[in-house]
Amino acid sequence: QVQLVESGGGLVQPGGSLRLSCVASGSIFSFYAMGWYRQAPGKQRELVAVITRGDTIVYADSVKGRYTISRDNAKNTVYLQMNSLKPEDTAVYFCNAGSTLVSKNNQGSWGRGTQVTVSE
């Protein structure tokens, strides 16, 4: 099926910015939704942002106003621009491609994740 590869994670100070990329092996337009999820140690995986084929966008309340999800269909790539980062944003960020707005029970295709660490 589709392979997803995330990149762009790293260490950043509070208030800083990072831009994550998710490159798919096929057309991202083949999927109803492309999304970003994150999981911190000892915590549940949570939705960060999702964008649908029809350009509907949903953000988690915790990141709204700070994060921006976008895509480039020609490059088969989904982006997550993260600004004003906080220590609580520290997590492994995963890219997801699926047939529903929100992935449940790990449905859909997943990348291996990229680590984001926000610390002084």
Side-chain angles (χ1 to χ4, degrees):
Q1 301 299 320
V2 64
Q3 287 186 313
L4 304 173
V5 181
E6 304 97 333
S7 63
L11 175 64
V12 64
Q13 294 182 357
S17 299
L18 285 173
R19 185 175 180 83
L20 307 184
S21 298
C22 171
V23 180
S25 61
S27 175
I28 60 175
F29 205 72
S30 299
F31 303 94
Y32 174 69
M34 300 291 298
W36 288 95
Y37 297 73
R38 67 186 182 187
Q39 186 168 23
K43 302 294 181 62
Q44 297 288 327
R45 182 193 65 196
E46 64 176 349
L47 171 71
V48 175
V50 61
I51 182 169
T52 71
R53 185 187 298 130
D55 290 327
T56 296
I57 296 176
V58 177
Y59 295 102
D61 288 341
S62 59
V63 307
K64 192 172 184 178
R66 300 187 297 120
Y67 289 17
T68 302
I69 188 171
S70 62
R71 67 178 178 223
D72 187 330
N73 292 331
K75 296 181 178 180
N76 294 326
T77 302
V78 178
Y79 304 97
L80 185 68
Q81 178 67 46
M82 305 183 293
N83 299 324
S84 302
L85 285 163
K86 307 173 181 179
E88 51 262 44
D89 293 319
T90 296
V92 178
Y93 284 70
F94 298 93
C95 181
N96 171 265
S99 59
T100 59
L101 180 64
V102 178
S103 175
K104 294 184 178 181
N105 299 316
N106 289 323
Q107 292 180 323
S109 298
W110 295 88
R112 295 184 182 275
T114 184
Q115 176 71 49
V116 172
T117 303
V118 184
S119 179
E120 296 287 359

